[in-house]
Short mmCIF file of all heavy atoms in Angstrom, two decimals:
data_model
loop_
_atom_site.label_atom_id
_atom_site.label_comp_id
_atom_site.label_asym_id
_atom_site.label_seq_id
_atom_site.Cartn_x
_atom_site.Cartn_y
_atom_site.Cartn_z
N GLY P 1 136.65 94.99 96.89
CA GLY P 1 136.77 93.56 97.12
C GLY P 1 135.60 92.92 97.85
O GLY P 1 135.71 91.78 98.31
N LEU P 2 134.46 93.62 97.96
CA LEU P 2 133.32 93.06 98.70
C LEU P 2 132.50 92.06 97.88
O LEU P 2 131.63 91.39 98.42
CB LEU P 2 132.41 94.20 99.19
CG LEU P 2 132.99 95.08 100.30
CD1 LEU P 2 131.98 96.15 100.70
CD2 LEU P 2 133.38 94.25 101.50
N GLY P 3 132.74 91.99 96.58
CA GLY P 3 132.04 91.02 95.75
C GLY P 3 130.54 91.22 95.74
O GLY P 3 130.05 92.34 95.57
N VAL P 4 129.79 90.13 95.96
CA VAL P 4 128.33 90.19 95.90
C VAL P 4 127.76 91.16 96.93
O VAL P 4 126.71 91.78 96.71
CB VAL P 4 127.73 88.78 96.10
CG1 VAL P 4 128.02 88.24 97.49
CG2 VAL P 4 126.22 88.79 95.85
N TRP P 5 128.46 91.35 98.04
CA TRP P 5 127.96 92.25 99.07
C TRP P 5 128.01 93.71 98.63
O TRP P 5 127.28 94.55 99.14
CB TRP P 5 128.73 92.04 100.37
CG TRP P 5 128.53 90.66 100.89
CD1 TRP P 5 129.42 89.63 100.89
CD2 TRP P 5 127.31 90.13 101.44
NE1 TRP P 5 128.85 88.50 101.40
CE2 TRP P 5 127.56 88.77 101.75
CE3 TRP P 5 126.06 90.67 101.68
CZ2 TRP P 5 126.58 87.95 102.29
CZ3 TRP P 5 125.08 89.85 102.23
CH2 TRP P 5 125.34 88.52 102.53
N GLY P 6 128.85 94.00 97.66
CA GLY P 6 128.84 95.33 97.08
C GLY P 6 127.55 95.60 96.33
O GLY P 6 127.00 96.71 96.37
N LEU P 7 127.01 94.57 95.67
CA LEU P 7 125.74 94.69 94.96
C LEU P 7 124.58 94.83 95.95
O LEU P 7 123.63 95.57 95.70
CB LEU P 7 125.51 93.48 94.04
CG LEU P 7 126.59 93.25 92.97
CD1 LEU P 7 126.30 91.97 92.20
CD2 LEU P 7 126.64 94.44 92.01
N VAL P 8 124.68 94.12 97.06
CA VAL P 8 123.66 94.24 98.11
C VAL P 8 123.65 95.65 98.69
O VAL P 8 122.58 96.27 98.85
CB VAL P 8 123.90 93.20 99.23
CG1 VAL P 8 122.94 93.44 100.40
CG2 VAL P 8 123.73 91.79 98.69
N LEU P 9 124.82 96.17 98.98
CA LEU P 9 124.91 97.54 99.50
C LEU P 9 124.37 98.55 98.49
O LEU P 9 123.67 99.51 98.86
CB LEU P 9 126.37 97.88 99.84
CG LEU P 9 126.96 97.22 101.08
CD1 LEU P 9 128.45 97.53 101.19
CD2 LEU P 9 126.23 97.69 102.33
N GLY P 10 124.69 98.35 97.22
CA GLY P 10 124.16 99.23 96.17
C GLY P 10 122.65 99.21 96.12
O GLY P 10 122.01 100.25 95.94
N SER P 11 122.06 98.03 96.29
CA SER P 11 120.60 97.91 96.26
C SER P 11 119.96 98.66 97.42
O SER P 11 118.96 99.37 97.25
CB SER P 11 120.19 96.43 96.31
OG SER P 11 120.64 95.75 95.18
N TYR P 12 120.53 98.52 98.60
CA TYR P 12 119.99 99.23 99.76
C TYR P 12 120.11 100.74 99.59
O TYR P 12 119.20 101.50 99.93
CB TYR P 12 120.70 98.78 101.04
CG TYR P 12 119.99 97.65 101.75
CD1 TYR P 12 120.35 96.33 101.53
CD2 TYR P 12 118.95 97.91 102.63
CE1 TYR P 12 119.69 95.28 102.16
CE2 TYR P 12 118.29 96.88 103.28
CZ TYR P 12 118.67 95.57 103.04
OH TYR P 12 118.00 94.55 103.67
N ALA P 13 121.24 101.18 99.07
CA ALA P 13 121.44 102.62 98.86
C ALA P 13 120.41 103.16 97.87
O ALA P 13 119.84 104.24 98.08
CB ALA P 13 122.85 102.87 98.34
N ALA P 14 120.14 102.41 96.80
CA ALA P 14 119.17 102.84 95.80
C ALA P 14 117.76 102.91 96.38
O ALA P 14 117.01 103.87 96.14
CB ALA P 14 119.20 101.89 94.59
N VAL P 15 117.37 101.89 97.15
CA VAL P 15 116.03 101.87 97.75
C VAL P 15 115.87 103.01 98.75
O VAL P 15 114.80 103.62 98.84
CB VAL P 15 115.76 100.51 98.41
CG1 VAL P 15 114.43 100.53 99.16
CG2 VAL P 15 115.74 99.39 97.38
N LEU P 16 116.91 103.29 99.50
CA LEU P 16 116.85 104.41 100.46
C LEU P 16 116.66 105.74 99.75
O LEU P 16 115.90 106.60 100.22
CB LEU P 16 118.13 104.44 101.30
CG LEU P 16 118.20 103.46 102.47
CD1 LEU P 16 119.60 103.42 103.05
CD2 LEU P 16 117.18 103.83 103.55
N VAL P 17 117.33 105.92 98.63
CA VAL P 17 117.16 107.15 97.85
C VAL P 17 115.73 107.26 97.34
O VAL P 17 115.09 108.31 97.44
CB VAL P 17 118.16 107.19 96.67
CG1 VAL P 17 117.78 108.27 95.67
CG2 VAL P 17 119.56 107.46 97.19
N GLU P 18 115.19 106.17 96.78
CA GLU P 18 113.81 106.18 96.29
C GLU P 18 112.83 106.48 97.42
O GLU P 18 111.88 107.26 97.24
CB GLU P 18 113.49 104.83 95.66
CG GLU P 18 114.24 104.53 94.37
CD GLU P 18 113.95 103.14 93.87
OE1 GLU P 18 113.28 102.37 94.59
OE2 GLU P 18 114.41 102.82 92.76
N PHE P 19 113.05 105.87 98.57
CA PHE P 19 112.17 106.06 99.73
C PHE P 19 112.15 107.52 100.16
O PHE P 19 111.09 108.14 100.32
CB PHE P 19 112.64 105.17 100.87
CG PHE P 19 111.84 105.29 102.14
CD1 PHE P 19 110.74 104.48 102.36
CD2 PHE P 19 112.18 106.22 103.12
CE1 PHE P 19 109.99 104.60 103.53
CE2 PHE P 19 111.44 106.34 104.28
CZ PHE P 19 110.34 105.53 104.48
N ASN P 20 113.33 108.09 100.35
CA ASN P 20 113.42 109.47 100.82
C ASN P 20 112.88 110.48 99.81
O ASN P 20 112.19 111.45 100.17
CB ASN P 20 114.87 109.81 101.17
CG ASN P 20 115.33 109.14 102.45
OD1 ASN P 20 114.63 109.16 103.46
ND2 ASN P 20 116.49 108.53 102.43
N LEU P 21 113.17 110.26 98.53
CA LEU P 21 112.68 111.19 97.51
C LEU P 21 111.17 111.10 97.36
O LEU P 21 110.51 112.13 97.13
CB LEU P 21 113.35 110.88 96.17
CG LEU P 21 114.83 111.28 96.06
CD1 LEU P 21 115.38 110.89 94.69
CD2 LEU P 21 115.02 112.77 96.29
N ALA P 22 110.60 109.91 97.50
CA ALA P 22 109.15 109.76 97.40
C ALA P 22 108.45 110.58 98.47
O ALA P 22 107.49 111.32 98.20
CB ALA P 22 108.76 108.28 97.51
N TRP P 23 108.93 110.48 99.70
CA TRP P 23 108.32 111.24 100.79
C TRP P 23 108.61 112.73 100.68
O TRP P 23 107.76 113.56 101.02
CB TRP P 23 108.81 110.70 102.14
CG TRP P 23 108.12 109.43 102.52
CD1 TRP P 23 108.56 108.16 102.33
CD2 TRP P 23 106.83 109.31 103.14
NE1 TRP P 23 107.64 107.25 102.80
CE2 TRP P 23 106.57 107.93 103.30
CE3 TRP P 23 105.88 110.23 103.57
CZ2 TRP P 23 105.40 107.45 103.87
CZ3 TRP P 23 104.71 109.76 104.16
CH2 TRP P 23 104.47 108.39 104.29
N LEU P 24 109.79 113.07 100.19
CA LEU P 24 110.14 114.48 100.03
C LEU P 24 109.25 115.17 99.01
O LEU P 24 108.70 116.26 99.27
CB LEU P 24 111.61 114.60 99.60
CG LEU P 24 112.11 116.02 99.28
CD1 LEU P 24 112.09 116.88 100.53
CD2 LEU P 24 113.51 115.96 98.69
N PHE P 25 109.08 114.55 97.86
CA PHE P 25 108.31 115.17 96.79
C PHE P 25 106.80 115.08 97.01
O PHE P 25 106.05 115.94 96.55
CB PHE P 25 108.67 114.55 95.44
CG PHE P 25 110.04 114.92 94.96
CD1 PHE P 25 110.99 113.95 94.70
CD2 PHE P 25 110.40 116.25 94.76
CE1 PHE P 25 112.26 114.28 94.26
CE2 PHE P 25 111.67 116.60 94.33
CZ PHE P 25 112.60 115.61 94.07
N ALA P 26 106.35 114.05 97.71
CA ALA P 26 104.91 113.90 97.96
C ALA P 26 104.40 114.98 98.91
O ALA P 26 103.25 115.42 98.81
CB ALA P 26 104.60 112.52 98.52
N ARG P 27 105.24 115.41 99.84
CA ARG P 27 104.86 116.43 100.82
C ARG P 27 103.53 116.07 101.50
O ARG P 27 102.62 116.88 101.61
CB ARG P 27 104.74 117.80 100.15
CG ARG P 27 106.07 118.32 99.61
CD ARG P 27 105.91 119.68 98.97
NE ARG P 27 107.19 120.17 98.46
CZ ARG P 27 107.33 121.33 97.83
NH1 ARG P 27 106.27 122.11 97.63
NH2 ARG P 27 108.51 121.70 97.38
N TRP P 28 103.48 114.84 101.96
CA TRP P 28 102.26 114.32 102.59
C TRP P 28 102.61 113.79 103.96
O TRP P 28 103.63 113.11 104.14
CB TRP P 28 101.67 113.21 101.72
CG TRP P 28 100.48 112.53 102.33
CD1 TRP P 28 99.22 113.05 102.51
CD2 TRP P 28 100.42 111.18 102.83
NE1 TRP P 28 98.40 112.12 103.09
CE2 TRP P 28 99.10 110.97 103.30
CE3 TRP P 28 101.35 110.16 102.92
CZ2 TRP P 28 98.70 109.75 103.84
CZ3 TRP P 28 100.96 108.94 103.48
CH2 TRP P 28 99.65 108.75 103.93
N ARG P 29 101.78 114.13 104.93
CA ARG P 29 101.98 113.64 106.29
C ARG P 29 100.82 112.73 106.66
O ARG P 29 99.66 113.15 106.64
CB ARG P 29 102.08 114.81 107.28
CG ARG P 29 103.30 115.68 107.06
CD ARG P 29 104.58 114.91 107.36
NE ARG P 29 105.77 115.70 107.08
CZ ARG P 29 106.42 115.69 105.94
NH1 ARG P 29 105.99 114.94 104.93
NH2 ARG P 29 107.50 116.43 105.77
N PRO P 30 101.12 111.49 106.96
CA PRO P 30 100.05 110.53 107.27
C PRO P 30 99.32 110.85 108.57
O PRO P 30 99.90 111.40 109.50
CB PRO P 30 100.79 109.19 107.36
CG PRO P 30 102.20 109.55 107.68
CD PRO P 30 102.45 110.87 107.01
N ARG P 31 98.04 110.50 108.59
CA ARG P 31 97.23 110.57 109.80
C ARG P 31 96.62 109.18 109.98
O ARG P 31 95.51 108.90 109.50
CB ARG P 31 96.15 111.65 109.66
CG ARG P 31 96.71 113.07 109.65
CD ARG P 31 95.60 114.09 109.47
NE ARG P 31 95.06 114.05 108.11
CZ ARG P 31 93.95 114.69 107.74
NH1 ARG P 31 93.25 115.40 108.62
NH2 ARG P 31 93.53 114.62 106.50
N LEU P 32 97.34 108.33 110.66
CA LEU P 32 97.00 106.91 110.70
C LEU P 32 95.65 106.64 111.36
O LEU P 32 95.06 105.58 111.15
CB LEU P 32 98.10 106.14 111.44
CG LEU P 32 99.50 106.20 110.78
CD1 LEU P 32 100.48 105.35 111.56
CD2 LEU P 32 99.43 105.76 109.32
N ARG P 33 95.14 107.60 112.13
CA ARG P 33 93.83 107.40 112.76
C ARG P 33 92.71 107.32 111.72
O ARG P 33 91.60 106.85 112.02
CB ARG P 33 93.55 108.52 113.76
CG ARG P 33 93.36 109.89 113.12
CD ARG P 33 93.07 110.95 114.18
NE ARG P 33 92.83 112.26 113.60
CZ ARG P 33 93.78 113.10 113.24
NH1 ARG P 33 95.06 112.76 113.42
NH2 ARG P 33 93.50 114.28 112.71
N LEU P 34 92.99 107.79 110.51
CA LEU P 34 91.98 107.74 109.45
C LEU P 34 91.88 106.36 108.81
O LEU P 34 90.92 106.08 108.08
CB LEU P 34 92.32 108.77 108.35
CG LEU P 34 92.28 110.24 108.76
CD1 LEU P 34 92.68 111.12 107.58
CD2 LEU P 34 90.89 110.62 109.26
N ALA P 35 92.85 105.50 109.04
CA ALA P 35 92.82 104.16 108.46
C ALA P 35 91.65 103.37 109.03
O ALA P 35 91.30 103.49 110.20
CB ALA P 35 94.13 103.43 108.76
N SER P 36 91.03 102.58 108.16
CA SER P 36 89.87 101.81 108.59
C SER P 36 89.81 100.47 107.88
O SER P 36 90.31 100.32 106.76
CB SER P 36 88.58 102.59 108.32
OG SER P 36 88.34 102.70 106.93
N LEU P 37 89.18 99.51 108.53
CA LEU P 37 89.02 98.18 107.95
C LEU P 37 88.10 98.22 106.74
O LEU P 37 88.31 97.51 105.75
CB LEU P 37 88.48 97.22 109.02
CG LEU P 37 88.29 95.76 108.58
CD1 LEU P 37 89.62 95.16 108.14
CD2 LEU P 37 87.68 94.94 109.73
N ALA P 38 87.06 99.05 106.82
CA ALA P 38 86.11 99.15 105.71
C ALA P 38 86.80 99.66 104.44
O ALA P 38 86.59 99.14 103.34
CB ALA P 38 84.95 100.08 106.09
N MET P 39 87.65 100.68 104.60
CA MET P 39 88.38 101.20 103.45
C MET P 39 89.36 100.17 102.92
O MET P 39 89.55 100.04 101.71
CB MET P 39 89.11 102.49 103.84
CG MET P 39 90.01 103.07 102.74
SD MET P 39 89.12 103.42 101.18
CE MET P 39 88.12 104.82 101.67
N TRP P 40 90.00 99.43 103.82
CA TRP P 40 90.94 98.39 103.39
C TRP P 40 90.23 97.37 102.49
O TRP P 40 90.78 96.93 101.48
CB TRP P 40 91.53 97.70 104.61
CG TRP P 40 92.47 96.57 104.26
CD1 TRP P 40 93.76 96.66 103.86
CD2 TRP P 40 92.14 95.18 104.27
NE1 TRP P 40 94.28 95.42 103.61
CE2 TRP P 40 93.31 94.49 103.86
CE3 TRP P 40 91.00 94.44 104.59
CZ2 TRP P 40 93.36 93.09 103.76
CZ3 TRP P 40 91.05 93.05 104.49
CH2 TRP P 40 92.21 92.40 104.09
N ARG P 41 89.01 97.00 102.87
CA ARG P 41 88.25 96.05 102.06
C ARG P 41 87.96 96.61 100.67
O ARG P 41 88.02 95.89 99.66
CB ARG P 41 86.95 95.68 102.78
CG ARG P 41 87.16 94.81 104.01
CD ARG P 41 85.87 94.65 104.79
NE ARG P 41 86.04 93.78 105.93
CZ ARG P 41 85.18 93.69 106.94
NH1 ARG P 41 84.07 94.44 106.93
NH2 ARG P 41 85.42 92.86 107.94
N GLU P 42 87.64 97.90 100.61
CA GLU P 42 87.39 98.53 99.32
C GLU P 42 88.65 98.53 98.45
O GLU P 42 88.60 98.23 97.25
CB GLU P 42 86.91 99.97 99.51
CG GLU P 42 85.52 100.10 100.11
CD GLU P 42 85.07 101.55 100.21
OE1 GLU P 42 85.53 102.36 99.37
OE2 GLU P 42 84.28 101.87 101.12
N LEU P 43 89.78 98.86 99.04
CA LEU P 43 91.04 98.91 98.31
C LEU P 43 91.45 97.53 97.82
O LEU P 43 91.90 97.36 96.68
CB LEU P 43 92.14 99.51 99.18
CG LEU P 43 91.96 100.97 99.60
CD1 LEU P 43 93.06 101.38 100.56
CD2 LEU P 43 91.94 101.89 98.39
N VAL P 44 91.29 96.54 98.70
CA VAL P 44 91.64 95.17 98.32
C VAL P 44 90.71 94.68 97.22
O VAL P 44 91.14 93.98 96.28
CB VAL P 44 91.57 94.24 99.54
CG1 VAL P 44 91.69 92.78 99.12
CG2 VAL P 44 92.68 94.58 100.53
N GLY P 45 89.44 95.05 97.29
CA GLY P 45 88.48 94.64 96.27
C GLY P 45 88.89 95.13 94.89
O GLY P 45 88.70 94.43 93.88
N TYR P 46 89.45 96.33 94.83
CA TYR P 46 89.93 96.85 93.55
C TYR P 46 91.31 96.28 93.20
O TYR P 46 91.56 95.86 92.07
CB TYR P 46 90.03 98.38 93.61
CG TYR P 46 90.51 99.02 92.32
CD1 TYR P 46 89.60 99.44 91.36
CD2 TYR P 46 91.87 99.20 92.08
CE1 TYR P 46 90.04 100.02 90.18
CE2 TYR P 46 92.31 99.78 90.90
CZ TYR P 46 91.39 100.19 89.96
OH TYR P 46 91.82 100.76 88.79
N GLY P 47 92.19 96.24 94.19
CA GLY P 47 93.57 95.86 93.93
C GLY P 47 93.77 94.40 93.58
O GLY P 47 94.74 94.06 92.91
#
């Protein structure tokens, strides 16, 4: 009986599954100290 809120809950559940599986299968650990403004400009230039 939750109506539209049932669809909202379903959306959050789906996104959480996608998020967790992406990190699980990627097996990658970020090292944020490597981030740089110069690289961001390069990525934005392409993107």
Side-chain angles (χ1 to χ4, degrees):
L2 291 181
V4 65
W5 297 107
L7 301 176
V8 173
L9 287 174
S11 296
Y12 267 94
V15 174
L16 279 170
V17 166
E18 292 175 353
F19 179 90
N20 287 314
L21 288 179
W23 282 96
L24 175 65
F25 289 121
R27 295 181 180 178
W28 175 70
R29 294 294 177 268
R31 290 179 290 169
L32 299 183
R33 67 179 183 277
L34 296 178
S36 69
L37 182 60
M39 175 57 71
W40 178 79
R41 289 172 177 164
E42 291 183 28
L43 295 175
V44 170
Y46 181 91

